[in-house]
Amino acid sequence: MKHIAILTGGGDCPGLNAVIRSVVKMASQHNIKVTGIKNGFSGLIHGKTLRLNLQSVSGLLHRGGTILGTTNRDNPFSYACKSGEACIYVDKSQDVLDHLKQWEIDGLIVVGGDGSLHIANQFAALGVPIVGVPKTIDNDLSATDYTFGFESAVTTAVDALDKLHTTAESHHRVMLLEVMGRYTGWIALQAGIAGGADVIVIPEIPYDIKKIITAIKKRRSLGKSFSIIVVAEGAKALGGSYTIQRLVEGSPDPQRLGGVSHHLANDIEALTTLETRVTILGHLQRGGSPTAFDRLLASRYGTAAVQCLLDGKFGCMTALHGSEIVSVPLASAVGELKTVPIHGELVQTAKNLGISFGD
Ligand code: F6P
């Protein structure tokens, strides 16, 4: 292993720079040269790189974002090109293979969520020596207990809930906080419990508006003049569907969710006459410094990825199982979405605390 490359793909999250730093630091101890690929797989298609050394990663541990840049479009196996007015999809995977050969890359580390890791898995099947590192604020990868970035996003959401509590109480309002998470409710559930929500609405448990109204009215009958509701962007009413905000052409999953809390707030106001307000936290959840937990996890994942390459373990992903860092086959990492178990301990804990899921 003389020369490795690293790329960050998909939506950014706190901790990406910490992974890059840890990879470079460990590689330098083994006299391995590290090349950073700019803007995810796009840099591998177009040949855009950045030489990484100890100097270039100095001071990166706490910095949000990624110094390499990222994109959630540009899938080399299905690359969107303009053909007149139309958009056609072409296979650019050979360009990637050519660049890796030309640069004499012995190992590639792909830091990404399910979209980027799926692409990594396809390249692994073509013989590219790849190791994946699981990142996403959504925590929706089934082969690991935690992705880095998730805990930082939950911390941001809890901070927002603390702030919403004080203003909700002053004005006797119903306050909705919409959080990200795509098709899963991990951020909403954990932030909702840690932030003292009264109602948590997640995609795994379609809500019945009548049940949410009952929960709000029950609080008022107990003398509480305000209510806090955490809504996952993927939440949907019983028998309803996702609220789509936009479609992003060229993205592995073009659907962007968002705005369901406005529908919910309108219904609550109409059925209770209580003043109801919405805050959509959006990309604030993806920005800023990683928490100590995420810095540690990112550092463990980065060094473990280099160790996999040194051991000749390719086509795998670093993962957290309990308190141990392990490696799992990439294929198992991208096969299945990890959703919130609706009869699991966390949901039960919330219910034991009197939190309603609108079910
Ligand atoms: O996967 C991370 C995530 O932040 C999701 O929670 C959210 O649905 C999506 O990405 C937003 O993507 P974009 O930045 O393209 O709007």
Side-chain angles (χ1 to χ4, degrees):
M1 208 37 71
K2 290 201 176 72
H3 185 190
I4 65 178
I6 177 169
L7 69 81
T8 53
D12 71 343
C13 74
L16 285 166
N17 281 326
V19 175
I20 297 167
R21 171 184 176 271
S22 68
V23 165
V24 172
K25 278 190 165 253
M26 177 151 172
S28 84
Q29 297 197 39
H30 294 267
N31 294 316
I32 301 172
K33 184 172 140 189
V34 185
T35 291
I37 310 292
K38 286 188 179 172
N39 302 321
F41 284 99
S42 168
L44 276 181
I45 297 170
H46 302 293
K48 297 268 189 285
T49 61
L50 186 73
R51 177 82 169 90
L52 294 173
N53 53 32
L54 287 177
Q55 212 180 349
S56 46
V57 299
S58 173
L60 273 194
L61 183 57
H62 64 283
R63 248 172 77 184
T66 161
I67 58 162
L68 295 176
T70 186
T71 173
N72 50 16
R73 301 163 201 241
D74 299 351
N75 176 354
F77 293 95
S78 179
Y79 184 73
C81 292
K82 281 273 171 225
S83 165
E85 284 302 287
C87 175
I88 56 161
Y89 291 87
V90 293
D91 186 349
K92 293 269 186 190
S93 57
Q94 192 55 49
D95 296 15
V96 169
L97 298 175
D98 291 347
H99 279 129
L100 291 172
K101 196 169 169 205
Q102 184 192 329
W103 300 330
E104 297 179 321
I105 302 294
D106 304 314
L108 173 64
I109 296 176
V110 173
V111 189
D114 60 341
S116 306
L117 294 175
H118 183 74
I119 297 168
N121 189 39
Q122 286 174 280
F123 279 115
L126 294 176
V128 178
I130 286 195
V131 175
V133 172
K135 91 51 259 199
T136 166
I137 63 164
D138 305 332
N139 201 34
D140 59 357
L141 294 178
S142 60
T144 183
D145 291 348
Y146 281 99
T147 54
F148 74 88
F150 169 68
E151 215 250 350
S152 303
V154 169
T155 301
T156 297
V158 170
D159 183 44
L161 284 169
D162 288 349
K163 288 173 174 152
L164 284 176
H165 258 96
T166 56
T167 176
E169 187 170 19
S170 310
H171 288 270
H172 318 293
R173 285 171 171 160
V174 177
M175 288 288 198
L176 275 66
L177 179 71
E178 182 173 314
V179 295
M180 285 183 164
R182 283 213 301 173
Y183 307 109
T184 67
W186 291 107
I187 300 178
L189 177 59
Q190 296 210 8
I193 296 173
D198 307 301
V199 178
I200 300 174
V201 193
I202 58 175
E204 292 86 347
I205 307 178
Y207 69 85
D208 176 346
I209 185 68
K210 293 198 283 298
K211 299 281 174 57
I212 293 178
I213 302 296
T214 305
I216 295 170
K217 286 189 171 160
K218 188 171 165 206
R219 265 181 71 76
R220 288 189 85 83
S221 72
L222 294 172
K224 304 278 189 183
S225 69
F226 71 98
S227 290
I228 302 286
I229 304 181
V230 180
V231 184
E233 63 181 356
K236 50 190 179 188
L238 265 178
S241 49
Y242 296 120
T243 306
I244 314 281
Q245 193 201 52
R246 63 166 69 203
L247 295 172
V248 178
E249 222 173 55
S251 173
D253 177 5
Q255 218 162 250
R256 293 292 177 276
L257 305 174
V260 59
S261 48
H262 284 296
H263 302 305
L264 194 50
N266 288 343
D267 291 346
I268 292 171
E269 215 165 53
L271 293 166
T272 62
T273 70
L274 295 171
E275 190 174 356
T276 305
R277 295 296 181 93
V278 168
T279 301
I280 299 184
L281 205 47
H283 292 83
L284 282 177
Q285 291 157 99
R286 297 231 305 251
S289 272
T291 56
F293 178 89
D294 275 336
R295 293 179 202 193
L296 181 61
L297 188 58
S299 302
R300 292 172 81 192
Y301 278 157
T303 53
V306 175
Q307 191 60 55
C308 284
L309 290 177
L310 287 170
D311 294 344
K313 268 197 210 164
F314 306 136
C316 64
M317 182 190 84
T318 60
L320 184 71
H321 285 180
S323 58
E324 298 286 311
I325 298 287
V326 296
S327 69
V328 295
L330 255 180
S332 75
V334 295
E336 199 189 324
L337 195 70
K338 182 176 72 184
T339 53
V340 171
I342 60 174
H343 300 298
E345 182 268 329
L346 269 183
V347 169
Q348 194 51 51
T349 296
K351 289 188 170 175
N352 291 343
L353 291 167
I355 298 172
S356 165
F357 285 84
D359 62 335

